[in-house]
Amino acid sequence: MGFQEVVSLDCDRAVQLGGKDKKTNKANPTKVEGFYIGFKTVPSPKAKSGFSKLHIFQTPKESVGVWGKTDLDQKLSGATLGAMTRVTFTGMKETKNNPMYVF
């Protein structure tokens, strides 16, 4: 029986799509395109569940982690691992609780 190499879920940098960077007040990137490798769960005291997902994309230049939001997490749950995938932030949507990021 041969072993298959497991793809690393480490990333060269992590970004949030859409909105502004709280430290620099500059606009965050609005899209990422690359091979969707998967996600890892990261502890997050700010999240209601206590964790956040970091979705990993292998781009031509580097491995990029994209912090999950509810809409993004739901949509990427059906993505094919290893497939070329593009995620684009399209705006905000008002909900009864808080504004929601839409992808």
Side-chain angles (χ1 to χ4, degrees):
M1 178 171 123
F3 292 99
Q4 181 178 1
E5 184 177 339
V6 176
V7 176
S8 170
L9 291 179
D10 292 335
C11 60
D12 298 317
R13 67 183 175 111
V15 298
Q16 175 180 310
L17 297 182
K20 289 188 176 184
D21 185 294
K22 293 178 182 176
K23 293 179 183 176
T24 64
N25 205 31
K26 292 182 182 179
N28 288 326
T30 57
K31 67 180 177 179
V32 65
E33 185 173 330
F35 293 100
Y36 181 56
I37 305 302
F39 71 90
K40 62 181 175 180
T41 303
V42 179
S44 174
K46 294 180 182 180
K48 290 180 185 177
S49 63
F51 66 89
S52 292
K53 289 182 178 178
L54 185 63
H55 299 278
I56 311 298
F57 295 84
Q58 184 61 54
T59 71
K61 293 182 180 181
E62 62 189 342
S63 178
V64 178
V66 176
W67 290 107
K69 301 285 188 182
T70 301
D71 188 50
L72 182 61
D73 292 344
Q74 289 174 350
K75 288 177 177 169
L76 285 177
S77 69
T80 302
L81 295 179
M84 178 60 79
T85 307
R86 177 178 38 215
V87 175
T88 304
F89 169 72
T90 58
M92 302 295 286
K93 177 181 176 182
E94 286 298 322
T95 67
K96 64 180 180 178
N97 297 326
N98 293 313
M100 179 176 85
Y101 285 73
V102 180
F103 299 90

